[in-house]
Amino acid sequence: MTVYLVGAGPGDPGLLTVRGAELLARCDVVVHDRLAGSAILDMAPESAERVNVGKAPGDAPVSQEDINAVLIERGLAGHEVVRLKGGDPFVFARGGEEAQALAGAGVPFEVVPGISSALAAPAAAGVPLTMRHEVFSFTVVTGHQSPGSASPVDWRAIAKVGGTIVVLMAAARIGGIADELMEGGLAPDTPVTAVTWATTDRQEVVRTTLVEVGAAGVKAPATFVIGSTAGIDINQLPQ
Ligand code: SAH
């Protein structure tokens, strides 16, 4: 009995790790979120139980306690359980909480990293995150905030760090975030590339600037890449 916290990657089944694919192919139970693509779920045996703990926008979310309870219960029953998570399990995915709950209940678990959309979405749009001699860092930030509360993120400080800024979970708030980044010193014409459904057949790329991104109408699930390299498209470089 083991619960595997498996990163599914950004969407394209080819970007699931070999280890993740092996575990999926022999599991008894798959516990997955809304963003898990059907091609990846199809890698599990037909006989495997599939538990969808994702929420459609607007639906009541399945609480983290309930998800933990499903993992613990299936694990203690002696099953091989794959807890499939979009991207990487430890990047804005509550993998840490699930690991703690499993450890507390005495259920063996293993973490299998995945390719985060923070890395895959820029690559899919042809945007390098760093550039030798020019861009020395990238910062990955969540744009999510609890309704009614102030952002826990100091966007003005992030504007001053330099390098590329990658923002997840921000489609609904990107205009306000862009304002704060400009207040922190980023130029209004700083390039922004937004990638929705990266690496899937629904992928859309919007190339814009910090001052205009709020009006661009980018829909979730989107990754925003902000900084000088967001103006590059390596697929369009002169040969
Ligand atoms: N653990 C995931 C992130 C979960 S938070 C990871 O490492 O990728 C969910 C957010 O991830 C979405 O709001 C969006 O910002 C981003 N995301 C997930 N899949 C994506 C995709 N295919 N294309 C673009 N962004 C994606």
Side-chain angles (χ1 to χ4, degrees), residues 34-161:
R34 184 176 66 93
L35 292 182
S38 58
I40 289 179
L41 284 177
D42 286 348
M43 293 178 180
E46 246 176 68
S47 58
E49 181 192 11
R50 286 157 171 79
V51 185
N52 182 354
V53 293
K55 51 163 181 153
D59 282 4
V62 180
S63 73
Q64 190 60 46
E65 291 71 41
D66 287 349
I67 297 172
N68 295 348
V70 168
L71 297 178
I72 291 167
E73 194 257 317
R74 300 299 195 283
L76 289 179
H79 297 307
E80 295 286 283
V81 182
V82 168
R83 169 65 172 120
L84 198 59
K85 290 175 164 291
D88 181 85
F90 280 175
V91 177
F92 305 134
R94 299 190 166 201
E97 286 162 71
E98 292 175 14
Q100 281 169 339
L102 290 163
V107 179
F109 66 91
E110 180 185 315
V111 179
V112 181
I115 299 181
S116 176
S117 51
L119 306 181
V127 173
L129 284 171
T130 63
M131 285 294 261
R132 193 164 138 83
H133 304 312
E134 284 169 52
V135 181
F136 307 102
S137 69
F138 58 92
T139 306
V140 182
V141 196
T142 174
H144 179 77
Q145 73 183 65
S146 305
S149 63
S151 172
V153 174
D154 185 346
W155 292 102
R156 286 168 214 190
I158 285 175
K160 293 183 174 56
V161 170

Side-chain angles (χ1 to χ4, degrees), residues 3 12 14-15 26 58 60 79 88 98 113 136 143 146-147 191 193 200 202 230:
V3 176
D12 177 351
L15 295 175
R26 62 171 171 81
H79 297 307
D88 181 85
E98 292 175 14
F136 307 102
S146 305
T193 293
T200 74
R202 301 161 73 179

Side-chain angles (χ1 to χ4, degrees), residues 162-174:
T164 306
I165 302 167
V166 180
V167 192
L168 306 187
M169 287 187 283
R173 294 194 58 245
I174 192 65

